[in-house]
Amino acid sequence: MRRSAASRPHKRDGIWYLVRRVPKEFAAYDPRGLVRISTGVAVADDPRGIRARDAVRSLGAGLEAYWRRLGDGQSAEAALRFEAVRKRARSFGVAYRTNEELAAGPLDELMARIKLLLDKDAVEDAKDVSAVMGGEQRPALRLSGLVKEFETIEQQTLLAMSPNQVKKWRNPKTRAIANLIGVIGDKEIARLTRDDAVAFREWWQKRIVGGGLDIGTANKDIGHLSKMLRVVDLTYQLKLEPVFHQLRLSGAVAAQRAAFTAQFVQGEILAKGALDGLNEEARHLVYLIADTGLRLSEAANLTTETIHLDHEIPHVQVRPNGRRLKTDHSARDIPLVGCALEAIKLHPEGFPRYRDKAASLSALVNKVLTNKKLLPTSEHSLYSLRHTFEDRLTAVEAPEKVIASLMGHKWIRPKYGAGPSLAQKREWLQRIAFVPPERG
């Protein structure tokens, strides 16, 4: 395949994307026509697209490798044959082993399988013999197919996720693979070496030193690659070498988002007209988050089933509701007071424009806050309102158990009983409630 000119990042919904048209020679294999892949880099965080260009370059390399793999058809048919014999082996009550693996193993297992075929009167059936005695070789799995294979193995994990959560789960793994392919090529995973892994680590070191990139991003790449290889190895008993073991880079510092002061939120962010650059749903979501401490995704995904304005104590419920919560402790009920109550009264059915689109909400709000100089430092963002919420509860000396219940954090002691009631939580929230902006 002729290598195309370097793709440039494209903006879409506040995120930088790789956009590539499927080459004519692969149109029969890839019917998408135009391919769009998120870089995961928000335009607001990278307005000039510097980081996005690197991401697009890596994603492009992975995409081209995928097209090459489609073109030469190296694994599709073999994978189907292998899956068929693997299922047939399971129907006999044995794990599939290739004939080479059986020959290298204990003689007792080989004899037991021969006896199994005799007992089942299956020695004349070529398909049964192939399944039990390992007549089909394991198809070679290349790096370009690793994410798809890992996703198949982990499909039960994805069942509880929303479509957007699945994308967020998949994208960093896809980027890690694309980065690795860009360094060492689209190798078979069985042929990966420690030298390959070290070369990848050194590539990241140079980028960090020369481009000021985050060490944590490099370690995430290494972590994703290591886990995918480990899970595929465990599932198919490939006996892969743990080539990425202990290769994480040292010196990473956990990012700490700053909190706004309560005075700044009330006097600046909630001032009349301060957020006029936002559409109504986005503006009212900011008000909601300010007085509930909800995570962006939790607020954006409220629905009529989780909004209870007609209750004695108006409140919202954080529930899975078609998506997976961040932690088991995230499920909670939060009374509505101040700005949050006023916002929900205007949106009793939730915020459909941003449902399952928390990233778009974050990008838009942070852009407006930046343009209006409402972010005191580079460490501040929309998410800082959640930190402010916790600080305000601490300032009025709310019990730690109440704070944990409102924030969706794990309580330090084992859970007994129902926890703080809505009335108890509302009592503390009323002490810190913001005054809603004047309408007009």
Side-chain angles (χ1 to χ4, degrees), residues 400-420:
E400 288 292 331
K401 191 169 187 178
V402 170
I403 296 176
S405 177
L406 288 166
M407 295 293 294
H409 289 164
K410 183 178 181 180
W411 175 234
I412 57 175
R413 292 167 54 190
K415 183 177 180 181
Y416 294 103

Side-chain angles (χ1 to χ4, degrees), residues 145-182:
L146 183 58
V147 174
K148 184 177 180 180
E149 195 67 38
F150 179 67
E151 191 167 332
T152 299
I153 295 169
E154 293 288 297
Q155 57 188 299
Q156 76 289 339
T157 303
L158 309 182
L159 292 177
M161 293 185 185
S162 69
N164 190 55
Q165 285 180 316
V166 172
K167 287 182 182 179
K168 290 180 69 175
W169 179 90
R170 183 189 298 125
N171 284 346
K173 298 169 182 62
T174 302
R175 285 197 301 272
I177 287 292
N179 284 337
L180 181 59
I181 290 174

Side-chain angles (χ1 to χ4, degrees), residues 20-195:
R20 286 282 304 274
R21 188 167 298 282
V22 178
K24 290 181 180 179
E25 62 264 40
F26 299 120
Y29 306 105
D30 190 339
R32 289 176 292 178
L34 196 67
V35 179
R36 293 185 180 89
I37 304 175
S38 170
T39 66
V41 178
V43 175
D45 296 334
D46 184 27
R48 297 174 59 192
I50 295 173
R51 287 166 48 206
R53 278 197 293 273
D54 285 339
V56 162
R57 190 179 301 112
S58 295
L59 288 172
L63 185 60
E64 290 179 5
Y66 169 70
W67 283 328
R68 285 195 297 273
R69 182 166 174 257
L70 285 178
D72 58 29
Q74 57 189 264
S75 66
E77 187 178 343
L80 289 174
R81 291 198 308 269
F82 180 76
E83 187 59 25
V85 295
R86 199 160 66 90
K87 288 180 178 178
R88 205 176 190 94
R90 282 202 299 267
S91 72
F92 276 86
V94 296
Y96 185 78
R97 299 283 185 270
T98 66
N99 47 32
E100 290 90 347
E101 291 165 354
L102 288 171
L107 181 61
D108 288 350
E109 182 180 0
L110 189 62
M111 298 306 297
R113 292 191 178 222
I114 293 173
K115 184 176 184 300
L116 177 63
L117 287 169
L118 291 169
D119 291 345
K120 296 281 188 179
D121 196 24
V123 291
E124 299 299 327
D125 189 314
K127 291 182 179 179
D128 288 342
V129 173
S130 179
V132 176
M133 302 305 294
E136 190 68 44
Q137 297 305 303
R138 295 184 186 276
L141 176 61
R142 293 185 176 274
L143 287 171
S144 53
L146 183 58
V147 174
K148 184 177 180 180
E149 195 67 38
F150 179 67
E151 191 167 332
T152 299
I153 295 169
E154 293 288 297
Q155 57 188 299
Q156 76 289 339
T157 303
L158 309 182
L159 292 177
M161 293 185 185
S162 69
N164 190 55
Q165 285 180 316
V166 172
K167 287 182 182 179
K168 290 180 69 175
W169 179 90
R170 183 189 298 125
N171 284 346
K173 298 169 182 62
T174 302
R175 285 197 301 272
I177 287 292
N179 284 337
L180 181 59
I181 290 174
V183 175
I184 66 169
D186 190 14
K187 297 185 69 170
E188 294 179 16
I189 63 170
R191 297 182 181 276
L192 288 176
T193 66
R194 184 69 167 180
D195 285 344

Side-chain angles (χ1 to χ4, degrees), residues 241-252:
E241 292 295 324
V243 295
F244 285 98
H245 184 57
Q246 294 186 335
L247 281 189
R248 292 175 182 268
L249 296 167
S250 61

